[in-house]
Amino acid sequence: MLKLHKTIESNSALLIFGILIVASIGGFVQILPNLFDESLRKGVENLKPYTALELTGRDIYIREGCVGCHSQQIRPLVAEVMRYGKKSVSGEFIYDRPFLWGSKRTGPDLARIGGKYSDKWHKLHLIKPQSVVPESIMPAYPWLAKTQINANSIQAKLQLLQKMGHPYSDLQIQNAKQNLTSKTEMQAIIAYLQVLGTY
Amino acid sequence: MDKKLYYTDSATVFLLICSMIWAIIGMFAGVYLAAELVMPWLNFDIAEITFGRLRPFHTNAVIFGFGGSALIATAYYSVQRTCHARLFSPNLAWFVAVAWQISMAVGLASLLLGYTSSKEYAEFEWPVDIAVALVWVSFGIVFFGTLATRKIRPIYVSNWFYGALIIVVAMLHIVNNLALPYSWMQSYSVYEGTQDAIVQWWYGHNAVGFFLTAGFLGMFYYTLPKQAGRPIWSYRLSVVAFWAFVYTYIWVGPHHLHYTAIPDWLMTTAMVMSLILLAPSWATMVNAVMTMSGAWGKLRSDPGMKFVIVSMVFYALSTFEGPMLAIKSVNVISHFTDWTVGHVHSGALGWNAFVTFGTIYFLTPKLTGVELFSKRLANIHFWIALIGVLLYIIALWGAGISQGLMWLSLDDFGQLKYSFIDAMLVTIPYHWIRLLGGLLFLFGTLLMIYNLFKTFMAGRLTKPVLVKIPPVHKGYEI
Ligand code: HEM
Ligand code: HEM
């Protein structure tokens, strides 16, 4: 063994290839099968791709970094299911690019937040969280209500997702820009929050 | 004068200065984040500094700005000394040094402006990703070019680790960031939902494994034997530990996804491999301690060495804690809580930052040709930083374990015992302590920068340091 290693460590090309091969094994075994595993791509029943407004809201959620404080993944534990709703399954996320499961719950899980509160509540909460939850440490997002949606790239987004296999009709893509006119970012993000977990 | 006979260290000096600047920026952002969690008004309704946007700014500034610059700097320095060769293409080396800073500055600014892919530690959007990939490959050319032109036959241990850093991070970065653009700064991942999660944490954990561990082990394997004036205790152990490390790390990503919607077998392999990973991690630590035996006396007079030795203690701690957190039944409690954040910083502050500080204290006199301005100040830095990191991680053990248990507790009627807000309020006193720990750590870093600044200023008065490449021992020529 050590002899073999003496050869490897005397030759930089061997060292490079050695590292590359040894470091690839785990990735090949763990990742490749999942890229071809169709069961991971099968959506749950009634799941629809995000509408233009919801998708815009999702991109605002990404932009503001809500994922740094909120998870969207309910683990199959008794207390967790009682608190947040039924456990998350792979088929719920097939229209999620990127995934937004998160790694930290500074705030509660949002996987099934849709329908839990009224639009009005969300608006008040996002403008000033402490107005509805006095102890809250969540930041306020007042600018969302004042900013009109920038709809310039919505068609490009939908076309790209269509190419990636999300079932948008050409008509939906055509009308997308119209659907967003004179809407605020607040309306978009609320539309997104309200659809989470409601299929 | 024939330049070929001398080492070249100007890019190293530049990179170390940049690394210190990023340390201040990144750690200040960390302190600010910690303050926002106890005083939410600090968000000031300014989008760019709200917690959600500042968090990835912090992680990228410290990992890639501070850590990355220090890694490239020390790789340049040590690869020349261990190969008895001048850097392969000093111009390309300078290109890497400067282009890395530009990529970081642009990337970090774009994060504050809200351009993010949202995948942790890979938040930069596609144009920055491409720039980073090009710079990284150039770094690889400089590094492996130097290895290829070396004058001494065996490739020293530190270079295996730096080599693994370069190769594996290139692979991870490219695969995880595959995305299709819909505008000049935005894109959607080519992976969807669950697959995206699996690929992301394959990347995410190995960013930890190869950026924050292999790279810093390279730094460590060069610095410690030099400081101690003794060779590495067991060559055989370092060989075995190295290959076991490279093989095993890649498997453990799914321990970030325990009990989520990914297939079960992934979690199981990740958990088992995480436990196995304890062995190569601790083998390195054992090697370090044994290398020290007989040189402990030097600790008293060399503050840089104190940092390096204590960094091994924190390395041992975080690589023990990690496998414990990877056990599913422990992860049930720790996942999503402050416990994870505490674990992160026992590695990031106690291991990565400490070994970097120690190495910089060691290199500065060599690079400037004068003694460190003040050893006393460096000692004070050591104690302040140590108290800071201890406060940080102990506070978050308290916060994380309380949070985790409260979320899961049921009362006698089988109902949830605590609301989310109850559990949130419990963490607040701990968060104050963490803030204090972070402030101390940042203050220590400022002391160090003052100390280094004074040293550099004194060094400017002397002649520039030129180190002639020494001849290779008989029998080791290539
Ligand atoms: C044997 C070594 C290690 C193992 C098995 C390990 C394992 C783990 C586990 C199980 C988690 C929690 C995942 C979760 O519940 O979300 C974690 C998180 C983390 N660890 Fe380690 N760890 C190790 C060493 C280290 C070291 C040395 C560092 C250096 C800085 C480090 C940095 C991190 C980071 C940054 C995270 C947070 C990831 C995130 O959620 O964003 N780990 N690690
Ligand atoms: C003055 C020192 C520092 C302070 C006060 C600090 C503070 C923080 C805070 C408050 C967070 C957010 C935690 C949360 O979301 O609850 C964080 C996250 C993080 N920090 Fe630091 N930090 C410091 C230094 C560093 C350094 C030097 C590194 C790396 C080399 C680092 C790496 C990280 C990482 C990887 C995360 C993400 C953790 C996760 O996702 O679980 N930090 N830090």
Side-chain angles (χ1 to χ4, degrees):
Chain A
M1 268 306 272
L2 275 182
K3 227 178 177 167
L4 172 70
H5 196 262
K6 286 264 192 280
T7 323
I8 294 176
E9 64 162 48
S10 308
N11 184 325
S12 38
L14 276 184
L15 184 67
I16 296 177
F17 281 108
I19 292 173
L20 196 58
I21 290 167
V22 173
S24 303
I25 301 171
F28 275 117
V29 177
Q30 287 186 330
I31 294 186
L32 276 189
N34 294 303
L35 292 186
F36 298 103
D37 183 350
E38 286 303 318
S39 75
L40 293 182
R41 296 186 174 193
K42 209 166 151 296
V44 291
E45 228 174 308
N46 294 329
L47 186 72
K48 286 201 271 308
Y50 297 108
T51 65
L53 189 63
E54 291 155 8
L55 186 70
T56 307
R58 187 170 196 273
D59 288 336
I60 295 167
Y61 185 95
I62 292 173
R63 183 187 76 197
E64 300 302 344
C66 311
V67 70
C69 286
H70 289 288
S71 59
Q72 289 186 19
Q73 182 70 213
I74 302 168
R75 298 175 294 170
L77 311 170
V78 180
E80 193 145 324
V81 169
M82 283 169 78
R83 195 183 292 279
Y84 299 120
K86 74 178 194 294
K87 73 167 188 174
S88 298
V89 293
S90 180
E92 296 174 61
F93 302 101
I94 59 165
Y95 299 127
D96 280 17
R97 292 174 196 265
F99 80 115
L100 292 174
W101 296 0
S103 69
K104 181 76 206 301
R105 273 186 196 150
T106 304
D109 190 276
L110 298 180
R112 307 207 185 284
I113 192 71
K116 180 173 170 193
Y117 300 106
S118 65
D119 287 4
K120 184 92 193 292
W121 187 92
H122 279 299
K123 190 169 175 189
L124 289 174
H125 183 249
L126 284 165
I127 290 177
K128 190 166 172 44
Q130 292 76 13
S131 67
V132 281
V133 184
E135 308 90 341
S136 182
I137 57 168
M138 174 163 145
Y141 293 90
W143 60 89
L144 296 179
K146 295 181 207 139
T147 318
Q148 295 282 316
I149 291 172
N150 173 356
N152 289 336
S153 50
I154 188 65
Q155 275 170 342
K157 287 183 192 177
L158 292 179
Q159 271 157 359
L160 176 62
L161 290 177
Q162 191 188 39
K163 236 190 299 171
M164 289 172 157
H166 296 207
Y168 289 111
S169 68
D170 292 338
L171 191 70
Q172 265 174 312
I173 298 180
Q174 252 171 31
N175 293 340
K177 206 160 174 176
Q178 231 171 355
N179 289 344
L180 299 185
T181 42
S182 71
K183 295 245 164 59
T184 61
E185 296 196 332
M186 182 62 85
Q187 284 168 299
I189 200 167
I190 293 177
Y192 170 63
L193 291 172
Q194 293 291 31
V195 79
L196 281 175
T198 60
Y199 49 89
Chain B
M1 185 187 98
D2 185 1
K3 280 190 178 167
K4 289 234 161 56
L5 298 178
Y6 295 87
Y7 294 131
T8 168
D9 292 324
S10 57
T12 298
V13 172
F14 171 76
L15 280 161
L16 288 179
I17 295 171
C18 294
S19 165
M20 287 292 100
I21 295 173
W22 288 124
I24 292 299
I25 296 174
M27 288 181 197
F28 178 77
V31 169
Y32 201 82
L33 283 174
E36 282 179 342
L37 286 180
V38 284
M39 295 173 277
W41 52 269
L42 283 173
N43 288 287
F44 290 119
D45 295 356
I46 302 171
E48 286 74 17
I49 61 161
T50 48
F51 188 91
R53 292 201 194 179
L54 201 57
R55 193 182 194 273
F57 176 92
H58 162 63
T59 56
N60 285 283
V62 283
I63 298 177
F64 300 112
F66 163 58
S69 303
L71 285 173
I72 301 174
T74 53
Y76 284 173
Y77 184 92
S78 63
V79 74
Q80 299 184 79
R81 269 70 182 179
T82 52
C83 289
H84 289 244
R86 190 177 162 84
L87 268 191
F88 175 79
S89 181
N91 288 335
L92 191 60
W94 260 101
F95 164 77
V96 171
V98 175
W100 185 257
Q101 310 311 324
I102 297 175
S103 312
M104 288 306 121
V106 172
L108 288 165
S110 69
L111 289 182
L112 293 185
L113 295 175
Y115 296 105
T116 169
S117 73
S118 100
K119 293 169 77 162
E120 273 190 274
Y121 320 128
E123 285 95 344
F124 292 152
E125 268 289 3
W126 66 274
V128 183
D129 282 338
I130 292 175
V132 165
L134 291 176
V135 178
W136 197 254
V137 170
S138 310
F139 174 36
I141 294 173
V142 174
F143 183 83
F144 290 113
T146 312
L147 278 193
T149 53
R150 71 190 185 283
K151 299 290 171 332
I152 183 167
R153 189 166 19 83
I155 299 175
Y156 180 64
V157 194
S158 64
N159 294 322
W160 314 340
F161 282 97
Y162 281 118
L165 159 76
I166 294 170
I167 295 167
V168 180
V169 168
M171 169 174 91
L172 298 167
H173 175 77
I174 293 169
V175 175
N176 186 44
N177 283 304
L178 288 180
L180 293 175
Y182 62 80
S183 82
W184 66 276
M185 264 312 268
Q186 291 150 302
S187 59
Y188 286 134
S189 171
V190 301
Y191 313 104
E192 70 207 11
T194 307
Q195 292 175 348
D196 198 33
I198 296 168
V199 175
Q200 155 60 23
W201 284 111
W202 166 77
Y203 166 89
H205 195 81
N206 293 297
V208 170
F210 288 84
F211 211 93
L212 295 180
T213 306
F216 286 89
L217 283 175
M219 194 187 280
F220 169 80
Y221 266 114
Y222 179 75
T223 307
L224 183 74
K226 283 279 175 192
Q227 283 173 325
R230 303 164 58 91
I232 276 294
W233 176 65
S234 166
Y235 169 80
R236 185 191 298 256
L237 192 60
S238 59
V239 171
V240 176
F242 174 75
W243 291 104
F245 176 97
V246 173
Y247 174 77
T248 317
Y249 242 108
I250 291 287
W251 288 84
V252 305
H255 69 214
H256 292 265
L257 297 168
H258 275 334
Y259 289 110
T260 64
I262 65 167
D264 271 327
W265 66 270
L266 282 175
M267 302 177 204
T268 313
T269 49
M271 170 170 141
V272 173
M273 286 300 194
S274 302
L275 289 167
I276 294 175
L277 199 50
L278 185 61
S281 304
W282 277 43
T284 302
M285 193 264 299
V286 169
N287 218 347
V289 171
M290 297 309 288
T291 303
M292 278 300 292
S293 62
W296 292 106
K298 289 194 176 167
L299 264 186
R300 240 171 291 138
S301 57
D302 183 350
M305 200 164 166
K306 274 195 201 132
F307 273 106
V308 174
I309 286 299
V310 171
S311 82
M312 256 306 119
V313 176
F314 280 101
Y315 178 68
L317 174 73
S318 50
T319 54
F320 176 75
E321 189 180 30
M324 296 305 118
L325 294 178
I327 298 173
K328 281 175 95 173
S329 50
V330 179
N331 195 268
V332 160
I333 299 171
S334 73
H335 191 52
F336 293 134
T337 71
D338 278 332
W339 192 351
T340 309
V341 180
H343 162 71
V344 170
H345 289 84
S346 83
L349 302 175
W351 153 234
N352 300 136
F354 265 49
V355 72
T356 307
F357 295 160
T359 302
I360 295 180
Y361 279 127
F362 166 70
L363 289 183
T364 301
K366 306 217 176 277
L367 291 168
T368 55
V370 291
E371 281 291 300
L372 193 65
F373 168 68
S374 165
K375 275 194 178 173
R376 211 174 95 87
L377 207 55
N379 263 321
I380 297 175
H381 172 203
F382 172 79
W383 289 109
I384 291 183
L386 186 61
I387 296 171
V389 58
L390 288 176
L391 284 179
Y392 195 124
I393 59 181
I394 293 171
L396 290 196
W397 276 327
I401 295 172
S402 321
Q403 231 175 0
L405 291 176
M406 286 174 80
W407 288 345
L408 297 177
S409 316
L410 301 179
D411 63 18
D412 295 343
F413 306 102
Q415 297 296 314
L416 290 174
K417 199 158 166 195
Y418 302 99
S419 72
F420 185 86
I421 301 292
D422 292 337
M424 184 189 88
L425 291 176
V426 163
T427 62
I428 288 180
Y430 295 110
H431 282 174
W432 279 105
I433 301 175
R434 184 257 304 269
L435 174 59
L436 177 66
L439 273 170
L440 286 175
F441 201 86
L442 176 65
F443 178 65
T445 311
L446 288 170
L447 288 184
M448 169 178 186
I449 288 177
Y450 172 74
N451 205 348
L452 297 179
F453 177 75
K454 285 296 220 184
T455 315
F456 267 93
M457 281 308 167
R460 266 168 42 137
L461 304 174
T462 64
K463 268 202 250 140
V465 181
L466 272 180
V467 185
K468 198 160 183 179
I469 302 176
V472 175
H473 291 296
K474 271 226 149 21
Y476 286 98
E477 300 93 344
I478 196 149

